[in-house]
Amino acid sequence: MDIDDILGADDVSSRHVQVRFITKLKPPYQVAHASISIPANLTRFGLSALVNNLLQAANEDWESEPFDFLIDGELVRMSLEEFLLAKGISAEKVLEIEYFKAVAPRKEEEPSLHDDWVSAVDGSNDGYFLTGSYDGFGRIWRAAGVCTHALDGHSGPVTSVCNVTPKGESSSDQIVATSSKDRTLRLWKFGVEESLNHTKKIRAFKVLKGHTAAVQSVAAEPLGEMVCSGSWDCTVNLWNVTISDSDGGLVSVKRKKTGEDDEPLYEGDPLTILVGHTQCVSSVVWPEGRTIYSASCDHSIKRWDVETGNDSLSIFCGKAVNCLDIGGESSALIAAGGADPVIRIWDPRKPGTQSPIYHFSSHNSWISSCKWHPKSWFHLVSASYDGKVMLWDLRTAWPLAVIDTHKDKVLCADWWKNDSVISGGADSNLRISSGIQVQ
């Protein structure tokens, strides 16, 4: 087969390079390992077309799909000639080019409408996902449009939601936590195996009081025994999840809309208060037993030792920080975004931690959310007030894919079931983009 015949006459006059395509994909995604001569002006799209043609030549039933390409561990996002020149790679040797399925959504689910802004999502459980809304409700969803439970009790917008029960735990009862501008957090329990054909309203079993201003973020300790919260009162509070002797007794609460007495619930006070930020604590993450990370509008990110209550690391970002996540290589990298269009990533294991090791700057407004893929060292998703959700790979400075299905600011995003992105925003819609094949 003549490669120039495949690519067309326009590429014939281009300088050529010798390449060998390799892949970790299983058959029928493998092409012959022999080296071939191809035009040096090919970009990722031309390379993808070439690999699809080679695969189709070996299998006439082959259906084309997009591929991405790595040379020396870096994604190709320019022509081969420009890439080789930029990286100082000799064009005289045979280049090994690894190809894999492009990381991009292949399906968009129908949007799930809320009664107000969708401010928070959590996709950490494969069986369901959580949302929080400015209408004051948290919600539990089995799939797009399938809301099984409404969490009824907050008197203000819900700002953050999280699963408390550790992932994979076999218990049929799941515990989730919500935070709100009403200055409280609430803990809820529901039966994950309940068979429901309508949305069931449930009440919290415990309300956590102690913050003196709106609570902006909540995160659960990995074993599910405690949660932490960040607030506009500048503190990070730690709370016990279970009912204990130190909790307040049962208190009667009134229904939000009717004013009638409802079933009583327990009140809990903070176990520990971490003091150090000077402005709103916008985001908290609890990645391992004795370590909490917090981000703040005071332009800093802090790492706290749970046992001592001391901050062991402070990173100053130069901008108010809206969102924070820990993941990537060895689950150790810090990703954050805030009051500019840039996502910054730090490696706290390296000297000179104050300087980010990566900057991603394709958004054109403030960053509202960033989340590492739970099983990849390289991939993360971001959301922005520019109305876009972007998928990123640390091996290139350009986004892998841009999801622009929202009609207003995007306020939150997360991965779900490893191959979907859920996002919510000021258009009151929850969106699910699925079929994302992360290698």
Side-chain angles (χ1 to χ4, degrees), residues 109-169:
E109 308 287 348
E110 285 296 314
S112 302
L113 186 64
H114 290 59
D115 294 329
D116 208 332
W117 291 7
V118 182
S119 49
V121 293
D122 183 319
S124 60
N125 189 296
D126 290 349
Y128 60 86
F129 58 89
L130 313 173
T131 63
S133 172
Y134 267 58
D135 63 13
F137 285 91
R139 291 176 174 84
I140 299 166
W141 304 77
R142 290 283 171 82
V146 184
C147 178
T148 58
H149 297 81
L151 312 181
D152 182 14
H154 282 296
S155 59
V158 175
T159 54
S160 182
V161 293
C162 79
N163 280 300
V164 177
T165 306
K167 186 175 181 179
E169 189 164 301

Side-chain angles (χ1 to χ4, degrees), residues 234 236 275-281 294-296 298 300-302 304:
C234 310
V236 177
V275 178
H277 286 296
T278 58
Q279 293 189 44
C280 168
V281 180
S294 61
S296 171
D298 65 11
S300 76
I301 295 168
K302 291 183 181 291
W304 304 87

Side-chain angles (χ1 to χ4, degrees), residues 25 29 44-45 48 65-69 75 77 99-106 379 391 400-401 435-439:
L25 298 173
Y29 287 93
R44 169 211 168 190
F45 298 103
S48 189
E65 63 175 274
F67 292 101
D68 257 317
F69 300 87
L75 277 162
R77 279 297 184 270
Y99 63 96
F100 54 92
K101 295 177 184 179
V103 178
R106 287 162 171 77
H379 296 91
L391 307 182
L400 298 176
I436 304 170
Q437 310 224 11
V438 175
Q439 304 299 309

Side-chain angles (χ1 to χ4, degrees), residues 287-348:
E288 54 188 23
R290 58 178 293 164
T291 304
I292 290 171
Y293 287 82
S294 61
S296 171
C297 295
D298 65 11
H299 301 188
S300 76
I301 295 168
K302 291 183 181 291
R303 183 178 63 199
W304 304 87
D305 185 303
V306 172
E307 293 183 6
T308 66
N310 297 324
D311 64 287
S312 58
L313 174 69
S314 289
I315 298 174
F316 294 93
C317 311
K319 298 288 181 181
V321 189
N322 293 335
C323 56
L324 171 75
D325 198 29
I326 310 300
E329 182 181 347
S330 300
S331 298
L333 304 185
I334 302 169
D340 67 4
V342 182
I343 301 160
R344 294 173 174 85
I345 296 173
W346 294 264
D347 188 343

